[in-house]
Each structure stands twice: as structure tokens, then as C-alpha cells.
Amino acid sequence: MTKAPTRPSIIDRLDVNISNLSSAVAFARKGSGRWPEWERYLVVHGEPAFLIGNICGTCEFFFERIEEASNGVDVEELSGTLAAGIDHIHPEVANALGKLLPSGSYHLVLMRLTPHLIAAGSDADYFAHEQVQQIGFDPVMEGGTHHPRIDYYRVKPTEGLPVIGDQDRTDLSFDFIIPLHRQNQLDEERIRYYMQRLEEAVMPTAVAVSVLDVKQPEIENVQDHRCMGHYLLDGHHKLAAAARTGKPLTLLSFIANDQGVSNSDDLQKYLNLHS
């Protein structure tokens, strides 16, 4: 029996440059006064879907589903290929999916992982657990912790992976797989279909656009958190099925090089950790 991975394991990777006049997915920034681009958003079909944090490197990491958003992405032409799963990056798949994304530089990675569904506010919730350990409770937030407004997935609940950061300090690395659709919006029959396929040792492929944020609070003797947010574009039923069965699948992730609070060295540390 194949042991489920306790961290994302990179199978294949590729640098890609995307140039599109328009795209279903976009990034946007908003602010005011001295900080006209303070907040960062993931936009789908012209509507903000997620607030994906701010530009501050010493602030805490967060993401938040925008309640009124009801958007999704269509990858119908690749549905059969992705349902069967890929074991390396096919140029035709990368090119077709690249049409969904805004112009920019990306590091495309295909990784194998086993997701765990995390209920917001639970003991396995990063914001209620590790973030509190990092910076303490926030008196401004209701309940003292951030609420992402959606349940999400982690690969290794309640524990970050150690990685050597700046000045040889040991930071913690986290991966979050963040769905566009809520669990109660999913088709139960479709989930059962993928559960059966996973039990047959098929590893379907999900698709995400990802952003790496390195958060370094100005607090003495506190570890930095290196947080990779994978915003799920396709594969919601696959992730749900994998979480229920405890079986691995693959995630094809377009890491946006110029959208995170991070640099090329930070990305290389992430890639080294999971290679």
C-alpha cells in the first residue's frame, strides 16, 4: 500500500510566462491614502472572490472568502485528462490552463499530496492554532482570531514544516488549499465517483493558482511563517473525495512569482523543501 504523503511532494516543475489580453482569473489591489495598493484580491470573472492578504511583510498571513462571490472556472476541454490524472506537466495542458490566468511569470509545479479538510475555527484551523502561537490573540478580531469565511484544506494539520530561513533561523512552512466553492455546494454523487476512483489507485489532478507569503512579525524569538496559498480553480470534488478517503491526488499549481509577499529565494526554499 502506498503511504499517504505528509507534505506536498513535487513530481514535475516548469517556469512559464503567460501573456493574455484578458483572463477569467486576475489579481487586483486596493487601498487608500498613503497605501493605495494595500489589500490584494483574487478576482474571478471580474468579481473579487478572495481577499488574499495585504502587502505587509510583518503583518499576519490571512485569506478570506468574499461572501457575495459565486464564481467558478470552466476547464471542460481538459476534464477527461484531469479526471484521469497526469504524472508530468503536459505542454498542451499547461498552455490550455494558462489561458485562464493573467499575464505574468509563474512557476508551474505538479505535486502529490493528501488533503485534510479543515473547519474554520476548529483545533486544526491554522488561524485558531499556529497563528495564535505566533502572534497571540488579536483583540480587534471577533473571538480573537481571523475567520477565513470558508473551510479549507491542509496537507499536514496542526503542524508546520521546518525550513531554514534568513540568518539560519528555523521558520515554519505551511500549505493551504483554498476552494472557491463551499462544501455544501458540491455534488455528493460526483464526490462518491472520485472516492471510487481513488480507491482504485487513480490519482486525479486538481488545478490551482498559488501565492507565497512570508510573514515576519516584529516580535522577538517568534518563527516566521512561510505560507503557500493554493487557490483552487478546478478539482473541488476531487479534493473532497481525497480528504474523505485519505488517498493522495495531484495538484497542478501555477505559483504567481510577482503576487506574493516573497522573493525568488523564498520560492526556492519552498521548492527545495518539497522536492
Side-chain angles (χ1 to χ4, degrees), residues 17-258:
N17 289 301
I18 293 174
S19 179
N20 289 320
L21 293 176
S22 62
S23 58
V25 178
F27 295 100
R29 299 190 180 193
K30 292 198 310 186
S32 61
R34 294 175 55 200
W35 302 99
E37 294 189 352
W38 179 257
E39 296 175 334
R40 298 174 296 147
Y41 292 86
L42 181 70
V43 177
V44 180
H45 295 303
E47 295 184 356
F50 275 96
L51 173 59
I52 60 172
N54 53 42
I55 63 171
C56 173
T58 58
C59 301
E60 68 274 15
F61 169 78
F62 69 93
F63 57 84
E64 184 174 321
R65 185 73 166 105
I66 296 176
E67 291 295 336
E68 60 270 22
S70 59
N71 23 36
V73 174
D74 181 15
V75 296
E76 186 64 32
E77 65 179 290
L78 295 172
S79 59
T81 299
L82 296 174
I86 60 175
D87 57 9
H88 66 279
I89 298 174
H90 300 261
E92 61 273 18
V93 172
N95 290 337
L97 292 172
K99 295 175 183 178
L100 299 171
L101 301 175
S103 297
S105 171
Y106 296 82
H107 196 85
L108 180 56
V109 297
L110 178 67
M111 58 181 70
R112 179 176 175 270
L113 54 84
T114 303
H116 299 261
L117 181 62
I118 306 299
S122 70
D123 289 342
D125 180 11
Y126 165 85
F127 302 105
H129 182 65
E130 290 99 335
Q131 191 166 86
V132 172
Q133 292 179 337
Q134 184 194 33
I135 62 172
F137 289 100
D138 187 340
V140 177
M141 297 285 184
E142 182 179 351
T145 62
H146 174 71
H147 196 297
R149 309 300 176 195
I150 197 165
D151 295 342
Y152 58 96
Y153 298 91
R154 295 177 63 177
V155 181
K156 193 173 185 180
T158 69
E159 185 177 348
L161 295 170
V163 58
I164 300 302
D166 297 335
Q167 301 176 344
D168 293 330
R169 296 176 304 183
T170 300
D171 299 340
L172 292 177
S173 178
F174 302 88
D175 280 85
F176 307 88
I177 307 172
I178 306 151
L180 283 172
H181 303 302
R182 303 182 188 283
Q183 295 296 307
N184 61 10
Q185 295 176 298
L186 301 183
D187 185 327
E188 190 65 28
E189 184 176 344
R190 194 65 178 161
I191 295 173
R192 288 196 297 269
Y193 166 78
Y194 280 115
M195 290 175 66
Q196 180 178 341
R197 298 289 285 160
L198 287 160
E199 293 290 355
E200 295 168 352
V202 173
M203 280 199 295
T205 301
V207 180
V209 60
S210 306
V211 177
L212 175 62
D213 286 348
V214 179
K215 295 297 188 170
Q216 305 167 310
E218 295 179 320
I219 304 173
E220 189 173 356
N221 298 322
V222 168
Q223 291 174 300
D224 296 347
H225 283 190
R226 297 172 173 268
C227 301
M228 182 68 82
H230 304 279
Y231 294 89
L232 197 61
L233 302 179
D234 177 74
H236 291 75
H237 297 94
K238 301 166 191 171
L239 264 290
R244 292 188 192 183
T245 59
K247 301 290 185 181
L249 46 59
T250 55
L251 178 69
L252 187 60
S253 176
F254 287 79
I255 303 172
N257 291 330
D258 55 357

